[in-house]
Amino acid sequence: MLSYAMACTGSALGLRCTVRALAATGRTRRNWLLTAASAIGTGIWTMHFVAMLGFRVSGTDIRYDVPLTLVSLLVAVLVVCAGVFAVGHGRNRAPALLLGGLTTGIGVASMHYLGMAAMRLHGEVNYDPVRVGLSVLIAVAAATAALWAALNTRSPLAVAAASLIMGAAVSSMHYTGMFAVSVRVTPSGEALPGATAMQFIFPLAVGLGSYLFLTSAFVALSPPAREREASASDRQQPAGSTAP
């Protein structure tokens, strides 16, 4: 449930930021899109590794390669950024949506399997290619749906509903990918390289989760562009009325 909550939080924040971006122009739009990409990307990554905290293999410990795990986080943010910017700046909505969904979906799947490749254990990890392919299709569908929602949802209630659906879709992709995994354990007394989940992934996930919640508070308290423009207009009105 915690992993699903993180996926929903990242999705909701990303959608709200994208809505703000589409109502803005220039540098303000770019900044909102960057915030949206970081929110969705970190939300997806945090969901994946929070879920991995409960992953166990009987007969072997599990460690994680720190650099490769960080690369998976970077991939998650960058591919979501590419998809969000394709939609946010694309002139033709349909082609931009399809391109952004495909790019982001493949990137999210890449993040998942990079994270899996970062595992170190005594044994061999194998994948069912059919289930892997299904997980990639789910990732592309989820990403396309997320970007479509970013373009078409405006009210807070619609964003909340869309984020719940997106969270379920992203979680489905993760668990479909995990269902494709089989491990053949090779008992060994050698020490495994890397960090344990509690040494590295848990603190990082807590930090990213805190970032999501703090950014959510900032977005909730930040007035929309129309309100800022109206406020600026009201401040300028008295000065204009005194002009001869």
Side-chain angles (χ1 to χ4, degrees):
M1 287 301 295
L2 180 58
S3 62
Y4 173 66
M6 297 308 301
C8 292
T9 301
S11 299
L13 178 56
L15 287 176
R16 289 303 299 165
C17 291
T18 306
V19 169
R20 296 288 184 89
L22 295 176
T25 57
R27 182 180 297 179
T28 303
R29 170 175 285 198
R30 182 200 65 190
N31 291 340
W32 278 118
L33 289 175
L34 287 173
T35 306
S38 67
I40 297 174
T42 56
I44 292 171
W45 187 93
T46 305
M47 179 280 303
H48 170 81
F49 280 101
V50 166
M52 291 302 294
L53 290 174
F55 182 68
R56 300 286 187 273
V57 177
S58 179
T60 178
D61 293 330
I62 297 177
R63 299 288 186 273
Y64 291 90
D65 182 286
V66 173
L68 191 54
T69 302
L70 292 176
V71 167
S72 71
L73 172 60
L74 183 62
V75 167
V77 174
L78 289 179
V79 296
V80 173
C81 187
V84 167
F85 269 80
V87 169
H89 289 285
R91 294 183 178 180
N92 297 319
R93 287 285 179 90
L97 179 61
L98 293 176
L99 177 61
L102 181 63
T103 302
T104 304
I106 292 176
V108 168
S110 299
M111 178 279 299
H112 173 87
Y113 290 106
L114 274 173
M116 295 298 294
M119 285 196 312
R120 299 291 179 261
L121 48 77
H122 293 304
E124 180 181 352
V125 179
N126 298 300
Y127 295 92
D128 182 310
V130 174
R131 292 170 182 168
V132 169
L134 180 59
S135 71
V136 174
L137 289 177
I138 293 174
V140 172
T144 304
L147 295 176
W148 179 90
L151 290 173
N152 293 280
T153 56
R154 292 293 181 270
S155 70
L157 184 60
V159 169
S163 66
L164 292 176
I165 296 171
M166 287 168 55
V170 171
S171 298
S172 297
M173 177 268 156
H174 170 81
Y175 289 108
T176 301
M178 294 305 297
F179 193 50
V181 174
S182 62
V183 179
R184 185 171 62 185
V185 175
T186 304
S188 173
E190 294 183 5
L192 290 166
T196 66
M198 295 304 293
Q199 287 174 336
F200 171 64
I201 292 176
F202 179 73
L204 185 57
V206 169
L208 292 175
S210 300
Y211 161 75
L212 289 176
F213 284 110
L214 290 174
T215 308
S216 297
F218 168 77
V219 172
L221 296 173
S222 176
R226 291 180 180 178
E227 291 184 10
R228 290 197 301 270
E229 291 173 0
S231 177
S233 177
D234 290 341
R235 287 196 300 268
Q236 293 173 0
Q237 188 64 35
S241 62
T242 59

